[in-house]
Amino acid sequence: MSTFVKIKALRQSLSSSEAKLADFTLNSANAIRNLSSVELAKVVGVSQSSVVKFSQKLGYKGFPAFKLAVIDALNDESSEPKLHGKITLNDSLEQIAEKLLSSKLAVLTETKNLNEAPAVEKAVELLKSAKRILICGLGGSALVAKDFSYKLQKLGMPAIAEPDGHAQLAYVATFSKGDLVIAISESGMTREIAEVVKQAKKNSSSVISVTKFGSNLVADSADVKLYSVAEGESVRLSSILARTAQDFVIDILFIALTQSSRQGRKLLEHSNEVVGEFKNN
């Protein structure tokens, strides 16, 4: 997972000193190649201990490991799509399309980089073994949850998506070991979703979270943590990009499930045939 991806995902939850280090790394990464931890602290205007803590918060043992990771990220950066500015009131339709496409490509790429194969594979196994599946989300995340429930139902899996927070909580109260909650929350701090997760764990049910990267109420209690990215710089695009990233995560899970289940593929083909026959009549 790219160091730059980690920093962008954690940016909003950093302390003031850590935020300074994050911004310096993102804007002047090349300079870090030739700096020691003491020199970096002096350039940024923070303490050396802040540099070490920042490195550890990103998952590295210390500054030397962080520095090597930054160098690796710089070497790989040329292949990463960039976000080209914000959409403005004066943009032409061509400019809007270009900026939106660029934004979506960046979000999809970072979301892919945040989700490593072992976590996805574990999520697939939990889905395949679940007795009942509740997919919960509010607002735009509820739309993503509903879409995923339709996909799983076509594979013959007992999945429901209920958009009302109280109904979600009432349903999960009946859960037990072997049942599964998929909690979708862009921020990971949605109170209603966090409460559903809390109740699920109280009942010994499994939880898969789909949230922003880093520690948050929803992900901290999950058995499997999956991540979605939404660029926070443009409010007008945020909900669009959040759904783009969340849809990408559930589509990865759906395709992985379809690939691993012959019975699921047969059911999917049959359901498509039934709908197709109805349309043609």
Coordinates of all heavy atoms in Angstrom, one line a residue, residues 200-240:
A200 N -24.0 -6.4 16.8 CA -23.5 -7.6 16.1 C -22.4 -8.3 16.9 O -22.5 -9.5 17.1 CB -23.1 -7.2 14.7
K201 N -21.4 -7.5 17.4 CA -20.3 -8.1 18.1 C -20.8 -8.7 19.5 O -20.3 -9.7 20.0 CB -19.2 -7.1 18.3 CG -18.6 -6.6 17.1 CD -18.1 -7.7 16.1 CE -17.0 -8.5 16.8 NZ -16.6 -9.6 15.9
K202 N -21.8 -8.0 20.1 CA -22.4 -8.4 21.3 C -23.0 -9.8 21.2 O -23.0 -10.6 22.1 CB -23.4 -7.4 21.8 CG -24.0 -7.8 23.2 CD -25.0 -6.7 23.6 CE -25.7 -7.0 25.0 NZ -26.6 -6.0 25.4
N203 N -23.6 -10.0 20.0 CA -24.2 -11.3 19.7 C -23.3 -12.3 19.0 O -23.8 -13.3 18.5 CB -25.4 -11.0 18.7 CG -26.5 -10.3 19.4 OD1 -26.5 -10.1 20.6 ND2 -27.5 -9.8 18.6
S204 N -22.0 -12.0 19.0 CA -21.0 -13.0 18.5 C -21.1 -13.1 17.0 O -20.7 -14.2 16.4 CB -21.1 -14.3 19.1 OG -20.9 -14.2 20.5
S205 N -21.7 -12.1 16.3 CA -21.8 -12.2 14.8 C -20.5 -11.5 14.2 O -19.8 -10.7 14.9 CB -23.0 -11.4 14.3 OG -24.2 -11.9 14.9
S206 N -20.2 -11.9 13.0 CA -19.0 -11.3 12.3 C -19.4 -10.0 11.6 O -20.6 -9.7 11.3 CB -18.5 -12.3 11.2 OG -18.1 -13.5 11.8
V207 N -18.4 -9.1 11.4 CA -18.6 -7.8 10.8 C -17.5 -7.5 9.8 O -16.3 -7.7 10.0 CB -18.5 -6.7 11.9 CG1 -18.6 -5.3 11.2 CG2 -19.7 -6.9 12.9
I208 N -17.9 -7.1 8.6 CA -17.1 -6.6 7.6 C -17.3 -5.1 7.5 O -18.5 -4.7 7.3 CB -17.3 -7.2 6.2 CG1 -17.0 -8.7 6.3 CG2 -16.4 -6.6 5.1 CD1 -17.4 -9.5 5.0
S209 N -16.3 -4.3 7.6 CA -16.5 -2.8 7.5 C -16.0 -2.3 6.2 O -15.0 -2.8 5.6 CB -15.8 -2.1 8.7 OG -14.4 -2.3 8.6
V210 N -16.7 -1.3 5.6 CA -16.2 -0.6 4.4 C -16.2 0.9 4.8 O -17.3 1.6 4.8 CB -17.1 -0.8 3.2 CG1 -16.5 -0.1 2.0 CG2 -17.2 -2.3 2.9
T211 N -15.1 1.5 5.2 CA -15.0 2.8 5.7 C -13.7 3.5 5.1 O -13.0 2.9 4.4 CB -14.9 2.9 7.2 OG1 -13.6 2.3 7.6 CG2 -16.0 2.0 7.9
K212 N -13.5 4.7 5.5 CA -12.2 5.4 5.2 C -11.1 4.6 6.0 O -11.3 3.9 6.9 CB -12.2 6.8 5.7 CG -12.2 7.0 7.2 CD -12.1 8.5 7.5 CE -12.0 8.7 9.0 NZ -11.9 10.1 9.4
F213 N -9.9 4.8 5.5 CA -8.7 4.2 6.1 C -8.4 4.8 7.5 O -8.6 6.0 7.7 CB -7.5 4.3 5.2 CG -6.3 3.7 5.7 CD1 -6.1 2.3 5.6 CD2 -5.3 4.5 6.3 CE1 -5.0 1.7 6.1 CE2 -4.1 3.9 6.8 CZ -4.0 2.5 6.7
G214 N -8.0 3.9 8.4 CA -7.7 4.4 9.7 C -8.6 4.0 10.8 O -9.7 3.4 10.5
S215 N -8.3 4.4 12.0 CA -9.2 4.1 13.2 C -10.5 4.9 13.2 O -10.5 6.1 13.0 CB -8.4 4.3 14.5 OG -9.2 4.1 15.6
N216 N -11.6 4.2 13.4 CA -12.9 4.8 13.5 C -13.9 3.9 14.2 O -13.6 2.7 14.4 CB -13.4 5.3 12.1 CG -13.6 4.1 11.1 OD1 -14.4 3.2 11.3 ND2 -12.7 4.1 10.1
L217 N -15.0 4.4 14.6 CA -16.0 3.6 15.4 C -16.4 2.3 14.7 O -16.5 1.3 15.4 CB -17.2 4.5 15.7 CG -17.0 5.7 16.7 CD1 -18.3 6.5 16.7 CD2 -16.6 5.2 18.0
V218 N -16.6 2.4 13.4 CA -17.2 1.2 12.7 C -16.0 0.2 12.5 O -16.2 -1.0 12.8 CB -17.8 1.6 11.4 CG1 -18.2 0.4 10.6 CG2 -19.0 2.5 11.7
A219 N -14.9 0.6 11.9 CA -13.9 -0.3 11.6 C -13.2 -0.9 12.8 O -12.7 -2.1 12.7 CB -12.8 0.4 10.7
D220 N -13.1 -0.2 13.9 CA -12.3 -0.7 15.0 C -12.8 -2.0 15.5 O -12.1 -2.8 16.1 CB -12.3 0.4 16.1 CG -11.4 1.5 15.8 OD1 -10.6 1.4 14.8 OD2 -11.4 2.5 16.5
S221 N -14.1 -2.3 15.4 CA -14.7 -3.5 15.9 C -14.9 -4.6 14.8 O -15.4 -5.7 15.1 CB -16.1 -3.2 16.5 OG -16.0 -2.3 17.6
A222 N -14.5 -4.3 13.6 CA -14.8 -5.2 12.5 C -13.8 -6.4 12.5 O -12.6 -6.2 12.9 CB -14.8 -4.5 11.2
D223 N -14.3 -7.5 12.0 CA -13.4 -8.7 11.8 C -12.6 -8.5 10.6 O -11.4 -9.0 10.5 CB -14.3 -10.0 11.7 CG -15.1 -10.2 13.0 OD1 -14.5 -10.7 14.0 OD2 -16.3 -9.9 13.0
V224 N -13.1 -7.9 9.6 CA -12.4 -7.6 8.3 C -12.6 -6.1 8.0 O -13.8 -5.7 8.0 CB -12.9 -8.5 7.1 CG1 -12.2 -8.1 5.9 CG2 -12.7 -9.9 7.4
K225 N -11.6 -5.4 7.8 CA -11.6 -4.0 7.5 C -11.3 -3.8 6.0 O -10.2 -4.0 5.5 CB -10.6 -3.2 8.3 CG -10.9 -3.4 9.8 CD -9.7 -2.8 10.6 CE -10.0 -2.9 12.1 NZ -10.1 -4.3 12.6
L226 N -12.3 -3.3 5.2 CA -12.1 -2.9 3.9 C -12.2 -1.4 3.8 O -12.9 -0.8 4.6 CB -13.1 -3.6 2.9 CG -13.1 -5.1 2.9 CD1 -14.1 -5.6 2.0 CD2 -11.7 -5.6 2.5
Y227 N -11.6 -0.8 2.8 CA -11.5 0.7 2.8 C -12.0 1.3 1.5 O -11.8 0.7 0.4 CB -10.1 1.1 3.1 CG -9.5 0.6 4.4 CD1 -8.5 -0.4 4.4 CD2 -10.0 1.1 5.6 CE1 -8.0 -0.9 5.6 CE2 -9.5 0.6 6.8 CZ -8.5 -0.4 6.8 OH -8.0 -0.9 8.0
S228 N -12.6 2.5 1.5 CA -12.9 3.2 0.4 C -12.4 4.6 0.5 O -12.2 5.1 1.6 CB -14.5 3.3 0.2 OG -15.1 4.0 1.3
V229 N -12.1 5.3 -0.6 CA -11.5 6.6 -0.6 C -12.4 7.6 -1.3 O -13.0 7.3 -2.3 CB -10.1 6.6 -1.4 CG1 -9.6 8.0 -1.5 CG2 -9.1 5.7 -0.6
A230 N -12.6 8.7 -0.7 CA -13.3 9.8 -1.3 C -12.5 11.1 -1.1 O -12.2 11.5 0.0 CB -14.7 10.0 -0.7
E231 N -12.1 11.7 -2.2 CA -11.3 13.0 -2.1 C -12.1 14.0 -1.4 O -13.3 14.3 -1.7 CB -11.0 13.5 -3.5 CG -10.0 12.6 -4.3 CD -8.6 12.8 -3.8 OE1 -8.4 13.7 -3.0 OE2 -7.8 12.0 -4.2
G232 N -11.6 14.5 -0.3 CA -12.3 15.5 0.6 C -12.2 16.9 0.1 O -12.8 17.8 0.7
E233 N -11.4 17.2 -0.9 CA -11.1 18.6 -1.3 C -12.3 19.3 -2.0 O -12.4 20.5 -1.9 CB -9.9 18.6 -2.2 CG -8.6 18.2 -1.5 CD -7.4 18.2 -2.4 OE1 -7.6 18.7 -3.6 OE2 -6.3 17.7 -2.1
S234 N -13.1 18.5 -2.6 CA -14.2 19.1 -3.3 C -15.6 18.6 -2.8 O -15.9 17.5 -3.0 CB -14.1 18.7 -4.8 OG -15.2 19.2 -5.5
V235 N -16.2 19.4 -2.1 CA -17.5 19.1 -1.4 C -18.5 18.7 -2.5 O -19.3 17.7 -2.3 CB -18.0 20.2 -0.6 CG1 -19.4 19.9 0.0 CG2 -17.1 20.5 0.5
R236 N -18.5 19.4 -3.6 CA -19.5 19.1 -4.6 C -19.4 17.7 -5.2 O -20.3 17.1 -5.8 CB -19.4 20.1 -5.7 CG -19.8 21.6 -5.3 CD -19.5 22.6 -6.4 NE -20.4 22.3 -7.5 CZ -20.2 22.8 -8.7 NH1 -19.1 23.6 -9.0 NH2 -21.0 22.6 -9.7
L237 N -18.2 17.1 -5.2 CA -17.9 15.8 -5.7 C -17.9 14.7 -4.7 O -18.0 13.5 -5.1 CB -16.6 15.8 -6.4 CG -16.5 16.5 -7.8 CD1 -15.0 16.4 -8.3 CD2 -17.4 16.0 -8.8
S238 N -17.9 15.1 -3.4 CA -17.6 14.1 -2.4 C -18.5 12.9 -2.4 O -18.1 11.7 -2.3 CB -17.6 14.7 -1.0 OG -18.9 15.3 -0.7
S239 N -19.9 13.1 -2.4 CA -20.8 12.0 -2.4 C -20.7 11.1 -3.6 O -20.8 9.9 -3.6 CB -22.2 12.5 -2.2 OG -22.6 13.3 -3.3
I240 N -20.4 11.7 -4.8 CA -20.2 11.0 -6.0 C -19.0 10.1 -5.9 O -19.1 8.9 -6.2 CB -20.1 11.9 -7.2 CG1 -21.3 12.7 -7.4 CG2 -19.7 11.1 -8.5 CD1 -21.2 13.8 -8.5

